[in-house]
Amino acid sequence: MLNVQNLHVYYGAIHALKGLNFHLEQGEIVTLIGANGAGKSTTLNALSGLLAAREGKLEFEGEDITRTPAQDIVRRGVIQVPEGRKIFATLTVMENLEVGAYLHPDKAQIEKDIESVFKRFPRLKERRNQLGGTLSGGEQQMLAIARGLMSHPKLLLLDEPSMGLAPILVEQIFEIIRDINDQGTSILLVEQNAQMALSIADRAYVLETGQVVLEGDAQEILHNPMVMEAYLGGH
């Protein structure tokens, strides 16, 4: 479904991704793990068309999207839920969801989608007329994911969904991610909480300074001594 070949991305003079290679099959959850600055968010931003590739190739469903503008990548069904949630603080929950549906002008379909989002996130239904900025961190994360789902993603790019959340909420968010995947959406997950990410992923890639240093089945990576030492606190 997704094929990344020899991807090089720069921030000014900084060489952030140095020949990155990885792939994702339809229906998988693939996670990218690594320390801060390893290039995980940069990878998602390059896939979203928010950062230009200096070199390399990005393919989605067999088509080259390396030079495709961000809005057209969204139209193809690649949707990012960004780090830090980036919800619209001065819009209500409902308005945030409607913004997520801007690709689908069919009013009846939007209403259906909002109903299905509310079924998955009952808390958002209770808060539907509240401003996004007044929600708790966990509710904002739910809203960010729900807004992403309003665009009918084929591939959902999740950037640090558990950041800043209490452990009980982290478990809830990961259950939701697994459920979204069970409903047929492929997921590329970037996550500091390597333990949680590896527990729900099919496969994983470990990034260091813009390169893949390890890849494989998520369970194997979870029990790899190097990974345990570096990312799981030696447990």
Side-chain angles (χ1 to χ4, degrees):
M1 184 181 213
L2 177 70
N3 203 10
V4 175
Q5 298 167 354
N6 190 35
L7 181 62
H8 289 261
V9 172
Y10 288 76
Y11 285 106
I14 297 165
H15 196 174
L17 296 181
K18 304 169 184 169
L20 194 65
N21 292 288
F22 73 92
H23 71 279
L24 178 145
E25 304 289 341
Q26 172 99 36
E28 278 191 313
I29 299 180
V30 169
T31 184
L32 307 179
I33 63 173
N36 274 338
K40 305 184 302 293
S41 294
T42 304
T43 302
L44 296 193
N45 287 333
L47 290 172
S48 297
L50 301 172
L51 286 173
R54 181 86 58 95
E55 240 182 277
K57 191 176 184 184
L58 304 174
E59 278 183 350
F60 179 66
E61 295 188 319
E63 288 186 33
D64 188 340
I65 59 163
T66 317
R67 304 274 171 264
T68 302
Q71 64 272 24
D72 294 333
I73 288 178
V74 167
R75 284 195 178 90
R76 285 167 186 261
V78 180
I79 307 295
Q80 182 173 171
V81 176
E83 183 183 352
R85 298 158 202 146
K86 309 271 195 311
I87 58 153
F88 299 105
T90 57
L91 299 183
T92 65
V93 166
M94 278 296 276
E95 288 165 339
N96 267 277
L97 294 175
E98 283 162 0
V99 169
Y102 81 100
L103 285 178
H104 302 279
D106 177 356
K107 268 214 144 60
Q109 183 61 50
I110 290 174
E111 279 173 26
K112 243 197 232 160
D113 291 343
I114 285 177
E115 268 321 296
S116 107
V117 155
F118 282 161
K119 215 175 267 178
R120 183 172 268 143
F121 300 97
R123 186 79 60 83
L124 294 183
K125 186 173 189 173
E126 292 165 21
R127 308 264 189 278
R128 61 182 177 273
N129 298 316
Q130 238 176 275
L131 295 182
T134 65
L135 301 178
S136 71
E139 289 162 352
Q140 288 190 13
Q141 187 60 63
M142 288 174 191
L143 180 55
I145 294 173
R147 183 183 59 187
L149 293 177
M150 292 296 294
S151 301
H152 292 241
K154 294 178 182 174
L155 173 61
L156 197 57
L157 310 176
L158 292 173
D159 198 354
E160 302 288 4
S162 80
M163 188 184 270
L165 298 183
I168 189 157
L169 278 174
V170 172
E171 299 218 348
Q172 213 178 330
I173 291 292
F174 274 88
E175 271 169 32
I176 288 161
I177 293 168
R178 190 184 266 143
D179 179 51
I180 291 166
N181 178 248
D182 287 344
Q183 305 288 318
T185 304
S186 307
I187 291 174
L188 181 60
L189 171 65
V190 158
E191 178 55 66
Q192 278 297 115
N193 186 335
Q195 182 97 38
M196 284 302 283
L198 291 167
S199 73
I200 68 163
D202 298 296
R203 291 186 308 107
Y205 293 86
V206 180
L207 269 57
E208 271 177 26
T209 58
Q211 292 171 309
V212 171
V213 292
L214 192 64
E215 61 182 276
D217 175 84
Q219 284 306 306
E220 281 168 24
I221 300 249
L222 183 57
H223 297 106
N224 177 295
M226 179 195 110
V227 173
M228 288 167 83
E229 191 57 45
Y231 305 109
L232 306 172
H235 300 307

